[in-house]
Amino acid sequence: MTILENKPETTSKPDTAIFSHLESEVRSYSRGWPAVFDKASGSWLRSEDGKDYLDFFAGAGALNYGHNNPVLKSALVDYIMSDGVTHGLDMYTVAKRKLLETFESHVLAPRGLDYKVQFPGPTGTNAVEAALKLARKVTGRESIINFTNAFHGMTLGALSVTGNSMKRAGAGIPLVHATPMPFDNYFNGVTEDFQWFSRVLDDAGSGLNRPAAVIVETVQGEGGVNVARPEWLRALADLCKERDILLIVDDVQMGCGRTGPFFSFEIAGITPDIVTLSKSIGGYGMPLALTLFKRELDVWGPGEHNGTFRGNNPAFVTAAAALEHYWADDKLERDTLRKGERIRQTFMNLSDMFDGVSTRGRGLVQGLVFDKPEDADKVCALAFEEGLLAETSGPSDEVVKLLPPLTITDDELEFGLNILAEATAKVRS
Amino acid sequence: MTILENKPETTSKPDTAIFSHLESEVRSYSRGWPAVFDKASGSWLRSEDGKDYLDFFAGAGALNYGHNNPVLKSALVDYIMSDGVTHGLDMYTVAKRKLLETFESHVLAPRGLDYKVQFPGPTGTNAVEAALKLARKVTGRESIINFTNAFHGMTLGALSVTGNSMKRAGAGIPLVHATPMPFDNYFNGVTEDFQWFSRVLDDAGSGLNRPAAVIVETVQGEGGVNVARPEWLRALADLCKERDILLIVDDVQMGCGRTGPFFSFEIAGITPDIVTLSKSIGGYGMPLALTLFKRELDVWGPGEHNGTFRGNNPAFVTAAAALEHYWADDKLERDTLRKGERIRQTFMNLSDMFDGVSTRGRGLVQGLVFDKPEDADKVCALAFEEGLLAETSGPSDEVVKLLPPLTITDDELEFGLNILAEATAKVRS
Amino acid sequence: MTILENKPETTSKPDTAIFSHLESEVRSYSRGWPAVFDKASGSWLRSEDGKDYLDFFAGAGALNYGHNNPVLKSALVDYIMSDGVTHGLDMYTVAKRKLLETFESHVLAPRGLDYKVQFPGPTGTNAVEAALKLARKVTGRESIINFTNAFHGMTLGALSVTGNSMKRAGAGIPLVHATPMPFDNYFNGVTEDFQWFSRVLDDAGSGLNRPAAVIVETVQGEGGVNVARPEWLRALADLCKERDILLIVDDVQMGCGRTGPFFSFEIAGITPDIVTLSKSIGGYGMPLALTLFKRELDVWGPGEHNGTFRGNNPAFVTAAAALEHYWADDKLERDTLRKGERIRQTFMNLSDMFDGVSTRGRGLVQGLVFDKPEDADKVCALAFEEGLLAETSGPSDEVVKLLPPLTITDDELEFGLNILAEATAKVRS
Amino acid sequence: MTILENKPETTSKPDTAIFSHLESEVRSYSRGWPAVFDKASGSWLRSEDGKDYLDFFAGAGALNYGHNNPVLKSALVDYIMSDGVTHGLDMYTVAKRKLLETFESHVLAPRGLDYKVQFPGPTGTNAVEAALKLARKVTGRESIINFTNAFHGMTLGALSVTGNSMKRAGAGIPLVHATPMPFDNYFNGVTEDFQWFSRVLDDAGSGLNRPAAVIVETVQGEGGVNVARPEWLRALADLCKERDILLIVDDVQMGCGRTGPFFSFEIAGITPDIVTLSKSIGGYGMPLALTLFKRELDVWGPGEHNGTFRGNNPAFVTAAAALEHYWADDKLERDTLRKGERIRQTFMNLSDMFDGVSTRGRGLVQGLVFDKPEDADKVCALAFEEGLLAETSGPSDEVVKLLPPLTITDDELEFGLNILAEATAKVRS
């Protein structure tokens, strides 16, 4: 698919009867994008009626290398055709060895990181659950500090450190053992960083249960593209270190190059105690997750945390191929920053042109923020009509969040930004 | 691979340095089976040094149709080669429609089941978390009844209803909101079924928090191949219905034909309110899970439960292919029961021949139970040396648990049972 | 007051306007006994309109020595008149020293008990909260085992180990960290004692969180006069000891001689790790409570548990006087057993005479059990009309529970039993 | 006792053997004040060796009318001598009616308060537990907001909203369902009031569980004499009202005139939804507590919260006498403010004279704050030697907290302040 091919046709209403009949009301993306998708390639999705959609969403950040990336596809098909082990729990396999070696050589070693690697189950929420368990086991404490507008997952442990009140209510039990603290810039700079957090930690009468760990996203994607400054992250790391609290960076969405460097925390020069990775770590959009932690924290007993699909070997294969192809040098990182800057320019212009519009972001996660939340929704709806997929985020869905594939071409980027600019103009004029 | 090819060679020690160096101590299967697996086909795994292993484990029940099943492989590779959508969250896709239609036509409709289908994330523990959330939301109650030696998963919600004390301790917080009740035959038949459970439910002074739901496995795999009688399951269903408690059957391991019929609860003639499926539902060993529930329970709000890898489309493709190929008639079910009976005969003979050995099981989940737990471990270790993979289960790992692929040939079954019989003889003589 | 004085008059409706207007709907005893009481002496209460009521309730067991016992009254008034310290928190006072010395000489030493004494606050629920805290601190575990139909108090810790579902619902949060087990005879003897409890303790896969302690009443008063057999208590003590679980006997209602001996557990020859006392320990009906525990369990830090009214010195004075006067020999104990036997005879006769009536009890806590709960209520209502106070208990309020003062005279007892016998006859005929 | 009588003698070491032998290590006041007290009158305590101590502590605020106040003593002894009902649970009694009528006429009516009155058990922690239960029942929510350095009691519900980390650790379970917010002036005025609290309430993504209620002390006694400004209390009340959150004022220590008016919140002109009273409400230092709430919040079912010692009738008698004698006019209130001002003058002078000393307080709760916590301790120790009882408070015990009887004479006040001034001079010079 190419831009030229993207000729929206008059389309017939798609056949969605079976979805309405059989699939739970919990489905959500299909409500905003009521097409039935069939094929995908690079930055494009094609619906069954032949309409192409430029993808500024990238599987919620799980497709940093684009859809059906040919390099990874080739490795994947070869593996399947040769009867490589598909499903291996935590058995040793050749594919897993290859992934570990590549992760060591291309990710950990170059960054001087002495982490152990856990395969906690193939989803981000599994990686977070394992991180929280480990932090509690290491410290003997129960309480976790999370941040306003955090998103960490939907299973009970991860949900307890997630901010969204609708999703929290879904738990059906009171979510406890977590206390929210203000994320960077929560008060628009009028309040000293960590004023509240450091004070309640140091006040023996504050009533705060002493935390095992802090869990943080360096950029909050679901929370509305809230970007933590490097100095804030450094101060947070210092605060944790001084008080013997473990620092968990949840890099499920912002890792794997989304903000430029492989890990999103590299910009701050910090070394978290525990790191979670998922989404794009598999490379091809297949389920995979890792929990990384400092060597000395590896106090797990054998089998103390497990799960059937920890050994999703096809994803090991694509993961290793992606690391080898994209992380042997800094080209992807530089491209990401350059493209991110291109989006930022467009969004700055839109902010200048229209009242009630602002922007924030880092690398290839960029947000166009509308004072009136319904405007963000309208922009995304108009974009969809024009063949562009972009979603909203933030507590009131007030942010148009861009997560294009890192491999998007400049022309594709331009094409999509034009659609967004026109949609914004239409909505705000 | 075939039986004839299975010539164990003198093997060099496998290269596992990177695993020792980098992978967390939490790994477990690799400790009992210290081979590095490379290829897999049907009922066989081959290690990189060319040794073949007959697989009586089947990915902990995730490979009911065998490794790299050619029917599914063909569908999978075609899909990938044609750039079908790989990753789709809960967007509509052609592959998902196909799966829903096939699930309706081949599974639900023939059994008269009017369930809605939720894609809760691609693992069993996700399916359980969604089931528990929904039960709590529907009833407005928090408490769940689980059973002794239950296993439902490792995320906090699922772990709270899991029995194993080592795994529970891994939570690092007190696990609450669940109360265990005795599983069928917990007292070897000397105590009336549900004596305790029904009494505390009906006694307003018992101190039991009124439960939202009961979660049960019809056969407890991890718990030691504990088999609930159909009449016990019926009585449980009646008890739940009379007292307005939801019944959740966790069919993650026992569903998809493991015990014969597609759903393991069919033998009892009951219709659970909620059912979880995972492991073999994807067919090819790739992550997939479903939560099913009665239509009237679908009170989910859009997005109230979500997760990145809910739309693992390659697994939709293999799932649909498996349903079409294996569940259009009752051949697989009949074969499963026949082969299960074959195992049972062998195990009955072993029980007769050796003191301290007994057996239990249903369909193709069969357990050889040793009064001395260390014997079970020895049998599995001997079997591994002879090229057979089988794992132990039960609270003291006292049960050799057989979960062969449902597609295993009679000759392969014979071959494996001979190994087990010899190992048992060696251990118990 | 005496029996002869007890001439029920035609009474005008009492003035209860201020209660209706100002007191919360939570009030309960005043609903069944809508008199306004004014004076009290020995076994009698007199309402302001001059009607006398024989008291088979004794302040829910807080008035074992009767109302305004002259021996204690004299000590109390002397103390107040001489400006003895009234309120002392946990300061040393002469009155507290006297109480401790008397408790040592009259209670602990004669029974060979080497307990430390905590003043945890002046109510039973405070004593229970302190006991639970200490058990958790000593063991490092959170979970507590309680029994069906237990009653331990209304503050959140004590309420979590209480059985009554209406009272539990009042918590407004899910009550966790406690698991109920069947009290003695819960299955009418058809099931082996501790079958379920010992099994789940010993099964590493049962899902029961390992308990810090077991809390038990030897006779459940609120729960319906359920009497634990000595051999059951011994087996429970053994079970706890073997598994390193602390045994807490809540003797708030059954201690201070209610069942005969000072401690209700003496009959079983066991030594609990922790004991709670309240109600009649103060002797005169004024708030006082003690938590006793084995010397080696005294791991409290100074002030780790506190409370304003721990030092209710007037109650120390009456407590010491009661111990000196009533516990220097075994007269009270023998009288209690004799009078209890007298009640039991009457109740046995009633059980023989009327269908649907049975009896159980120990010492001077005796219950007349009605198969139809409304009958128990009717009997108490009739008794009230005839000038007798007795309350119902049990999960369905199906038991007429007798807790007369231990100091009741034989004539008074006879008088009251006649009223009950007539009421029972009227209700059951 | 009078000032002239206060001649400290050379004293022999008191006999405290039984305390050391028998009383739990949890005792605390006796450690700082190792005298054995015997008699008490007005503002004075006398130890058994005849030494008199001026009491600037007043039973932790439970003796606002002094020790053994003759007006109350007379009423109390008359009541006891006339065989008034001592112990009545929640039965109607003449003494309770009198208290309710007096409370209505002297407290509620003059202030235009339409509260219902609950007798929740005779201690402050009972009153708080009832308040929290009711707030949860009314709102259907679980979470409570408390404030930094709050103190509300030691039973599990009250402890969960208490700040002190040592006391919290004593729970032995994780304390949940409460989130602390900054008390007034927590950041020394540099941060806008309620910046954090109102922001997380209004942000649907903050992760804060929506609270049932806020519980607050207008002056935190145990927390270090932290005084909330009237405007802060008004803003808090507005914030609660706007967001449908119940406001609980815990007036256990600050009520009954301690800060001047009967209720400490009168200064702010607010009407809390729920109010707790204890300590001095009984007047004579005997256990009593009330929970007050707006009429429309009285959703209690009969017996839904109960407790044996709710009907401590002697305390009803002294409570009513105290209200009649002291709250018929505003003399006590004016005196309290005048005497409080007298202390404040002395403390201001000390603050001016010595570095590292400051002061805060309201009415007759006044604190002398030392930058070096050990200085506060030394001052209290020196004062004890000179015959003055005063305790420290605050998270580091850095505040000398004065809670003299409201009935203290000017000469006594002068006498005590001189001791404190000299002690401060000695310590800080």
Side-chain angles (χ1 to χ4, degrees), chain A residues 283-321:
Chain A
Y284 204 72
M286 292 187 303
L288 185 61
L290 305 180
T291 304
L292 315 176
F293 33 83
K294 288 181 176 168
R295 187 163 294 275
E296 64 269 25
L297 301 181
D298 190 14
V299 299
W300 285 116
E304 200 172 357
H305 178 93
N306 64 16
T308 296
F309 291 120
R310 285 167 295 161
N312 187 16
N313 279 257
F316 294 167
V317 169
T318 51

Side-chain angles (χ1 to χ4, degrees), chain C residues 47-128:
Chain C
S47 61
E48 62 178 344
D49 55 6
K51 181 167 172 180
D52 288 346
Y53 294 86
L54 182 63
D55 187 358
F56 271 19
F57 169 63
L63 293 165
N64 283 3
Y65 312 113
H67 293 271
N68 297 329
N69 182 299
V71 176
L72 311 185
K73 179 162 73 172
S74 168
L76 175 62
V77 171
D78 285 355
Y79 188 76
I80 296 171
M81 292 301 290
S82 72
D83 278 341
V85 170
T86 295
H87 173 90
L89 291 114
D90 65 1
M91 292 149 76
Y92 294 148
T93 65
V94 172
K96 187 175 178 180
R97 182 167 61 201
K98 173 72 181 301
L99 171 58
L100 285 171
E101 287 170 349
T102 312
F103 194 72
E104 171 83 340
S105 62
H106 285 63
V107 177
L108 297 180
R111 290 163 183 79
L113 295 169
D114 189 24
Y115 285 143
K116 295 291 285 286
V117 178
Q118 178 180 5
F119 297 89
T123 66
T125 199
N126 270 298
V128 170

Side-chain angles (χ1 to χ4, degrees), chain A residues 178-363:
Chain A
T179 307
M181 289 289 154
F183 193 71
D184 190 17
N185 206 31
Y186 198 58
F187 301 111
N188 302 314
V190 305
T191 300
E192 191 189 340
D193 295 345
F194 305 109
Q195 184 192 55
W196 171 235
F197 187 15
S198 63
R199 184 83 164 81
V200 288
L201 279 176
D202 296 343
D203 178 358
S206 71
L208 184 82
N209 293 329
R210 190 159 169 240
V214 167
I215 186 164
V216 69
E217 303 153 278
T218 64
V219 180
Q220 296 181 323
E222 298 304 305
V225 192
N226 305 311
V227 183
R229 291 162 298 147
E231 56 268 34
W232 186 87
L233 290 167
R234 276 192 295 274
L236 177 62
D238 288 347
L239 179 154
C240 287
K241 191 170 187 182
E242 283 160 16
R243 288 159 182 92
D244 190 29
I245 301 167
L246 297 175
L247 178 61
I248 305 169
V249 169
D250 182 346
D251 234 7
V252 164
Q253 191 170 60
M254 295 304 145
C256 304
R258 173 55 55 189
T259 68
F262 185 83
F263 292 112
S264 73
F265 55 78
E266 295 178 43
I267 194 175
I270 62 173
T271 304
D273 298 291
I274 305 179
V275 180
T276 57
L277 286 178
S278 185
K279 293 200 186 259
S280 282
I281 186 64
Y284 204 72
M286 292 187 303
L288 185 61
L290 305 180
T291 304
L292 315 176
F293 33 83
K294 288 181 176 168
R295 187 163 294 275
E296 64 269 25
L297 301 181
D298 190 14
V299 299
W300 285 116
E304 200 172 357
H305 178 93
N306 64 16
T308 296
F309 291 120
R310 285 167 295 161
N312 187 16
N313 279 257
F316 294 167
V317 169
T318 51
L323 294 177
E324 283 187 326
H325 191 77
Y326 289 104
W327 295 99
D329 57 34
D330 66 354
K331 181 171 183 316
L332 184 68
E333 175 172 352
R334 282 184 290 110
D335 276 1
T336 296
L337 295 175
R338 182 178 52 76
K339 293 171 191 168
E341 182 57 24
R342 178 66 197 84
I343 300 175
R344 211 180 64 83
Q345 278 305 333
T346 299
F347 281 6
M348 292 288 279
N349 291 344
L350 292 172
S351 303
D352 290 345
M353 287 167 62
F354 301 107
D355 276 353
V357 179
S358 57
T359 182
R360 52 186 184 243
R362 172 175 293 151

Side-chain angles (χ1 to χ4, degrees), chain C residues 28 48 68 86 90 97 308, chain D residues 28 48 68 86 90 97 279:
Chain C
S28 60
E48 62 178 344
N68 297 329
T86 295
D90 65 1
R97 182 167 61 201
T308 296
Chain D
S28 60
E48 62 178 342
N68 297 329
T86 296
D90 65 2
R97 182 167 59 201
K279 292 200 187 262

Side-chain angles (χ1 to χ4, degrees), chain B residues 77-282:
Chain B
V77 171
D78 285 354
Y79 188 75
I80 296 171
M81 293 300 290
S82 71
D83 277 343
V85 171
T86 295
H87 172 89
L89 292 114
D90 66 2
M91 292 150 76
Y92 295 148
T93 65
V94 172
K96 187 175 176 180
R97 183 167 60 201
K98 174 72 181 298
L99 172 57
L100 286 171
E101 286 171 347
T102 311
F103 194 72
E104 172 83 340
S105 62
H106 285 63
V107 177
L108 297 180
R111 290 164 183 79
L113 294 169
D114 188 24
Y115 284 143
K116 296 291 287 284
V117 177
Q118 179 180 7
F119 297 90
T123 66
T125 198
N126 270 299
V128 170
E129 295 266 344
L132 299 179
K133 281 185 182 181
L134 188 66
R136 286 164 166 152
K137 182 170 187 186
V138 165
T139 62
R141 302 172 215 140
E142 298 88 6
S143 184
I144 307 287
I145 296 295
N146 60 335
F147 288 98
T148 50
N149 290 294
F151 182 91
H152 299 290
M154 287 294 109
T155 51
L156 278 190
L159 187 52
S160 71
V161 291
T162 289
N164 185 287
S165 58
M166 183 270 281
K167 293 193 189 325
R168 289 176 71 83
I173 56 170
L175 292 173
V176 297
H177 302 304
T179 307
M181 289 289 153
F183 193 72
D184 190 18
N185 206 32
Y186 198 59
F187 301 111
N188 302 313
V190 304
T191 299
E192 189 190 341
D193 296 343
F194 305 109
Q195 184 191 54
W196 171 236
F197 187 16
S198 63
R199 183 84 164 81
V200 289
L201 278 176
D202 296 342
D203 178 358
S206 71
L208 184 83
N209 294 328
R210 190 159 169 239
V214 167
I215 186 164
V216 69
E217 302 153 279
T218 64
V219 180
Q220 297 181 322
E222 299 304 304
V225 192
N226 305 311
V227 182
R229 290 162 299 149
E231 56 268 34
W232 187 87
L233 290 168
R234 275 191 296 273
L236 177 62
D238 288 347
L239 179 154
C240 287
K241 190 169 186 183
E242 284 159 17
R243 289 159 181 90
D244 189 28
I245 300 167
L246 296 175
L247 177 62
I248 304 169
V249 169
D250 182 346
D251 234 8
V252 164
Q253 191 169 60
M254 295 305 145
C256 304
R258 173 55 56 188
T259 68
F262 186 83
F263 293 111
S264 72
F265 54 79
E266 294 179 43
I267 194 175
I270 62 172
T271 304
D273 298 293
I274 305 179
V275 180
T276 57
L277 287 176
S278 184
K279 292 199 187 262
S280 282
I281 187 63

